[in-house]
Amino acid sequence: SEERDKAKYIVESIIDSEIGYMFTNDADYNGKRTDIIPKGDFSDKTVDSTKIYVKEMRARLDNYYRLVVRGVRDSVPKVIGSFLVRAAEDQMQLELTTRITQNEQINALLSEPLSVAEERKRLAETKEVLKKALKAIQRDPEYALSSP
């Protein structure tokens, strides 16, 4: 369906944006993974700096990957639900409207009584006559002089 295709497009866009751009405002990640040189006891001079760097980068990437997966896992059901629920609502509204308009008994109950329609028509005609009378009175010079 059209809504399913829209949801698929949005989900793919979310994933593409996560793949194409690395960024997070996650306080925990930013608080733990912002040091250039990781904290630790490096008093032993035999520790290879390349190994430390690779270990730190692996830890950063693993933590970032977990954040991205969590974010996508939270977003995807919302997107799918939003589009599918909207499609279901639209379909239900269309079905309900169709059934109501095709049901003679409901139409009879919802329509106004004939006497009310006739009264409304009569009052509209009276209103027009009164408007014309008011215009005629306002053109009368005696009325214009005596009005406040």
Side-chain angles (χ1 to χ4, degrees):
S1 78
E2 183 181 336
E3 296 300 323
R4 184 183 56 193
D5 292 341
K6 287 180 186 176
K8 181 180 177 185
Y9 174 77
I10 297 295
V11 168
E12 288 173 351
S13 296
I14 290 171
I15 292 170
D16 288 345
S17 70
E18 292 294 346
I19 289 171
Y21 185 68
M22 293 182 65
F23 174 79
T24 182
N25 273 334
D26 186 75
D28 189 42
Y29 179 86
N30 289 334
K32 291 181 181 177
R33 297 291 171 193
T34 55
D35 295 333
I36 295 174
I37 299 174
K39 296 174 183 164
D41 182 21
F42 300 113
S43 58
D44 183 10
K45 301 292 184 194
T46 60
V47 176
D48 184 11
S49 62
T50 305
K51 287 182 182 179
I52 294 171
Y53 177 76
V54 168
K55 183 179 177 182
E56 177 62 18
M57 289 306 294
R58 181 174 307 275
R60 287 180 185 209
L61 289 172
D62 287 345
N63 285 338
Y64 183 77
Y65 178 75
R66 278 189 218 99
L67 284 172
V68 169
V69 168
R70 183 182 72 202
V72 170
R73 194 179 316 136
D74 290 345
S75 298
V76 168
K78 290 177 189 176
V79 169
I80 291 171
S82 172
F83 282 101
L84 296 181
V85 167
R86 189 175 315 131
E89 286 174 343
D90 292 346
Q91 184 62 34
M92 285 173 34
Q93 183 177 7
L94 177 65
E95 182 69 23
L96 181 62
T97 303
T98 302
R99 287 189 182 207
I100 287 174
T101 56
Q102 290 176 349
N103 188 320
E104 293 298 324
Q105 188 178 11
I106 291 177
N107 282 334
L109 291 172
L110 293 176
S111 63
E112 66 183 359
L114 184 58
S115 62
V116 173
E118 290 172 355
E119 178 73 10
R120 187 172 17 82
K121 183 179 176 185
R122 187 184 63 73
L123 290 172
E125 290 170 356
T126 303
K127 179 181 171 186
E128 288 303 315
V129 169
L130 291 172
K131 279 184 181 180
K132 289 177 185 177
L134 181 60
K135 282 183 183 180
I137 291 173
Q138 287 174 339
R139 283 183 287 184
D140 185 3
E142 286 183 32
Y143 175 78
L145 294 175
S146 64
S147 64

